């Protein structure tokens, strides 16, 4: 080890860093600037032995206070190797190059800060590991180095001002083993000071750049959405322009028997006849087949076409085609089996019986209540036998009576009259 003596009056900067509060004060410093222990005041034999043991066999635990003192003392020793004028020259040159870098990055301080931070990191690695050769060479072909340093001459100039030189293509290397870290420390402090002074503007530029990127993404999404909508509309238009192949001879029939809900959907051609439809329906409906076998007539009705065909009237069912009957392209058919009456006069109502029933109906409707009194409002209040307003412009004819016996008597009288008419006909 070496013994170094400092004059507290002449080296006040070193004493301030080491926090000297008593004289004499001893410091045990290892190679590399690490302070191991400290002894203040006049030493005695025991304290001196302990101090020397700490120097020869240092503890594995590190005192943070002594470590901080060692780092500050090392920086002081580094800076003392450069004069004040030299340090100011490196500082001013670094600031000028950073300002020129901002212009090259399109006056975007956030982009310039990325380059400055990369240079700062390179210098910091060398200062912390001055003997490590891997930190003293930069490969400018590296993706990050090419994007942030190699493309900008001011960044290259800052590195060359602290000792870097071009060794080969796309590479920078320190000229020799680092023995004086003063230029690197001075340039690093200048870069950090520049970043701190422009912190607000850097963050503002970063936010603006982020907003622009989001706006571009939004515009791109809108443009893609519009293009997709235009493509879909164009495809839909092309599909609508395509000619639809319509079969003019196709005929779709929905057939059911009267009184049933089951519908048979049948596909035929215009040249086929209703006889073929009836053949199918006979297979599906046993009562219909039995009626046709027994010779009973049947009727086919198509309300939408205003068409009524009876099997005993003409031969349209057998001879005319679906096209001739006008059932194309689709129709709804209802089939009804007709009941044969032995005497047509038996079923034909006479005028006298109809008039008598109407008279009986009027006679039985003579109640004492009005529409209004029973809670049913008529078109004309207090008048019986008027039309009831059922809502939605619907009027209903309604009889109001409180005497059910009158209605029953009227029906009995009508029935008796009908029976007397029948007996008279038989005698005749």
């Amino acid at each position: 080890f070496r013994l170094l003596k400092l004059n507290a009056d002449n080296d006040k900067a070193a004493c301030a860093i080491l926090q000297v509060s008593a004289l004499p004060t001893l410091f045990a410093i290892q190679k590399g600037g690490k302070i191991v222990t400290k002894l203040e005041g006049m030493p005695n034999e025991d304290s001196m032995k302990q101090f020397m043991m700490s120097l020869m066999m240092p503890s594995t635990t590190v005192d943070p206070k002594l470590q901080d003192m060692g780092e500050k003392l090392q920086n002081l020793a580094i800076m003392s190797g450069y004069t004040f004028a030299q340090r100011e020259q490196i500082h001013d040159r670094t600031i000028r190059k950073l300002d020129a870098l901002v212009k090259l990055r399109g006056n975007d301080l956030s982009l310039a800060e990325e380059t400055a931070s990369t240079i700062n990191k390179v210098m910091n690695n060398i200062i912390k590991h001055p003997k490590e050769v891997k930190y003293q060479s930069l490969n400018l072909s590296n993706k990050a180095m090419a994007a942030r340093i190699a493309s900008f001459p001011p960044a290259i100039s800052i590195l060359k001002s602290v000792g870097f030189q071009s060794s080969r293509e796309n590479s920078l290397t320190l000229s020799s083993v680092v023995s004086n870290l003063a230029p690197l420390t001075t340039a690093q402090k200048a870069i950090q000071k520049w970043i701190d002074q422009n912190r607000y503007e850097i963050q503002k530029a970063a936010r603006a750049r982020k907003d622009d990127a989001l706006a571009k993404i939004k515009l791109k999404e809108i443009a893609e959405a519009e293009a997709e909508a235009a493509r879909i509309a164009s495809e839909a238009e092309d599909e609508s322009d395509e000619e639809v192949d319509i079969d003019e001879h196709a005929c779709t029939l929905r057939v059911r028997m009267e009184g049933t809900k089951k519908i048979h959907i049948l596909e035929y051609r215009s040249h086929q006849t209703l006889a073929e439809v009836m053949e199918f329906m006979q297979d599906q409906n046993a009562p219909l087949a039995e009626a046709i076998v027994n010779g009973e007539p049947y009727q086919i009705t198509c309300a939408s076409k205003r068409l009524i065909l009876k099997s005993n009237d003409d031969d349209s069912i057998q001879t005319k085609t679906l096209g001739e009957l006008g059932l194309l392209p689709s129709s709804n058919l209802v089939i009804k089996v007709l009941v044969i009456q032995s005497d047509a006069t038996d079923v034909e109502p006479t005028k006298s019986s109809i008039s008598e029933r109407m008279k009986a109906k009027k006679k039985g409707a003579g109640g004492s209540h009005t529409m209004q009194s029973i809670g049913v409002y008529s078109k004309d209040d207090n008048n019986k036998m008027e039309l009831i307003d059922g809502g939605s412009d619907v009027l209903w004819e309604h009889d109001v009576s409180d005497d059910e016996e009158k209605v029953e008597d009227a029906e009995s009288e009508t029935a008796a009259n009908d029976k007397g008419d029948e007996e008279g006909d038989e005698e005749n």
Side-chain angles (χ1 to χ4, degrees), residues 387-401:
L387 298 178
I388 300 172
D389 187 358
S392 301
D393 297 330
V394 178
L395 300 177
W396 302 87
E397 186 178 1
H398 186 70
D399 298 338
V400 178
S401 174

Side-chain angles (χ1 to χ4, degrees), residues 10-33:
N10 297 332
D11 298 307
K12 292 182 180 181
C15 291
I17 292 174
L18 296 173
Q19 300 178 8
V20 176
S21 58
L23 295 176
T25 300
L26 300 178
F27 292 93
I29 304 176
Q30 288 183 333
K31 187 177 182 180

Side-chain angles (χ1 to χ4, degrees), residues 61 165 234-235 272 306:
T61 59
Q165 294 181 356
S234 177
E235 291 179 356
Q272 293 178 282
R306 296 183 179 181

Side-chain angles (χ1 to χ4, degrees), residues 397-415:
E397 186 178 1
H398 186 70
D399 298 338
V400 178
S401 174
D402 59 350
D403 192 353
E404 297 180 356
E405 294 181 356
K406 294 181 179 180
V407 177
E408 293 177 357
D409 294 341
E411 292 178 353
S412 300
E413 184 179 351
T414 302

Side-chain angles (χ1 to χ4, degrees), residues 300-371:
I300 301 176
T301 305
C302 179
S304 61
K305 308 295 183 179
R306 296 183 179 181
L307 179 66
I308 299 176
L309 299 175
K310 295 182 180 180
S311 60
N312 56 356
D313 288 347
D314 52 34
D315 58 351
S316 298
I317 296 176
Q318 299 295 331
T319 60
K320 290 187 178 181
T321 64
L322 300 178
E324 292 173 345
L325 293 173
L327 298 178
L328 275 62
S330 63
S331 298
N332 298 329
L333 303 181
V334 178
I335 301 174
K336 176 183 177 182
V337 177
L338 300 177
V339 179
I340 301 175
Q341 301 293 339
S342 59
D343 190 356
T345 58
D346 293 342
V347 297
E348 183 179 357
T350 61
K351 296 182 180 179
S352 60
S353 61
I354 294 177
S355 61
E356 289 173 356
R357 289 194 183 96
M358 291 301 297
K359 290 179 181 179
K361 187 175 181 182
K362 292 181 180 180
K363 185 177 179 181
S368 60
H369 292 294
T370 64
M371 296 285 187

Side-chain angles (χ1 to χ4, degrees), residues 215-233:
K216 290 180 180 179
I217 293 174
K218 188 66 175 178
L219 291 174
K220 184 178 179 181
E221 292 176 352
I222 293 174
E224 291 177 352
E226 291 178 350
E228 181 67 15
R231 184 186 64 80
I232 294 174

